[in-house]
Amino acid sequence: MTTSRIRFLLVTALAAVLTFAGAPAPTSAAVPQVAQQWSSLMYHSLTPSAAYVRVRTTLAAQRDSLRTQSTRVIKSREMHTAAQAALTTAVAADAAARTSYAVAREGLTSARNRLTLVSQQRPRNAAAVAGAKSAVAVAVQSASTRSVEARKAAVALRAAQAAARTATARLDSVVAAYQRISAAIRTNQLRLNALDKSAELAGQAAVLSRDVVTDVRARFTVADTTTVNGITVHKSVAFAFRRMLADAQADGISLSGGGFRTRDQQIKLRKINGCPDVWTAPASSCRVPTAIPGRSLHELGLAVDISSGGRTIGRDSDAFRWLAANAGRYGFVNLPSEAWHWSITGG
């Protein structure tokens, strides 16, 4: 596929993006069209659509609801466990009470049979009759007591059964609600993933990055730069760069550094860094790698040497680790030989 065909497809895709995402941040008329395309792509990559925001807001509320529901499930399970334990105890108590009542009734029957027997004996034994009557009275009292206990145990069992049914129903209800919310979250997460075009748009911008450098270099003027947090960069990368600094700060990473420098400043830097020849010696021949004047992306405002805490960052710094994990989202790529150097092409 030819370069012109790729560019046509990218412009077509960008037009579709603009239709649903709104107008991009304004850019200078002096900025080349391909740089404006890059800027627009990054703007829409970093600015979620209204639909995305709605689903994300809904998803956040659902996750809060799921946490609340999770607490309810835990409490309901505890109540269900307690109710089942109480039911087990009530079943055992009812069985014991019924057994005790049955034994008491058997004892009463035996006592009455004994009274009948001694009452029919001749000659009549008054002492034996009196003893049998006393035994019957005791058996009656015992049977009555055990009957009351059995009725109480039966009432307690019915109450425990009702409580267990209620606890089971409640547990089933809260678990079902938890599952419904979980399913809704999964659905909305899939919707959110489908609506998230950030990686796709950033990828389209990355395809354009080298053309941006070529076209910007052909017509660059200092008027095409702007300042972001004290760092001068090309207007086309200003929005993405500003967002990167702000998001890093939100994560506790303070970034600063040096961006644009003039041709004269590049020449002076080459001399300071001991390059064997200002115009011909390769960057690697300098004490600190320094591009030949006219080749540095710093001269276009498309590269930044990042520092943090007043020091140039190294690969073992928190700032570098943050950038390595996140800078690509903002269109910036690291130059492997220089941990501090980040640009839109990695050059």
Side-chain angles (χ1 to χ4, degrees), residues 162-196:
R165 287 194 296 270
T166 298
T168 298
R170 176 176 173 76
L171 178 58
D172 290 344
S173 175
V174 296
V175 167
Y178 180 91
Q179 292 171 340
R180 284 195 299 272
I181 297 171
S182 295
I185 287 175
R186 288 193 295 271
T187 298
N188 278 327
Q189 185 61 62
L190 291 174
R191 290 179 60 199
L192 194 68
N193 293 344
L195 288 168
D196 184 5

Side-chain angles (χ1 to χ4, degrees), residues 45 50-51 53 58 139 152 157 160 174 208 210 218 254 266 272 284 302 309 333:
S45 172
V53 171
T58 298
K152 287 182 178 179
L157 176 59
V174 296
L208 294 176
R210 295 194 179 278
S254 179
Q266 187 70 17
I272 291 171
S284 59
L302 296 177
V333 184

Side-chain angles (χ1 to χ4, degrees), residues 9-27:
L9 293 175
L10 287 171
V11 171
T12 302
L14 176 60
V17 170
L18 295 178
T19 298
F20 73 77
T27 57

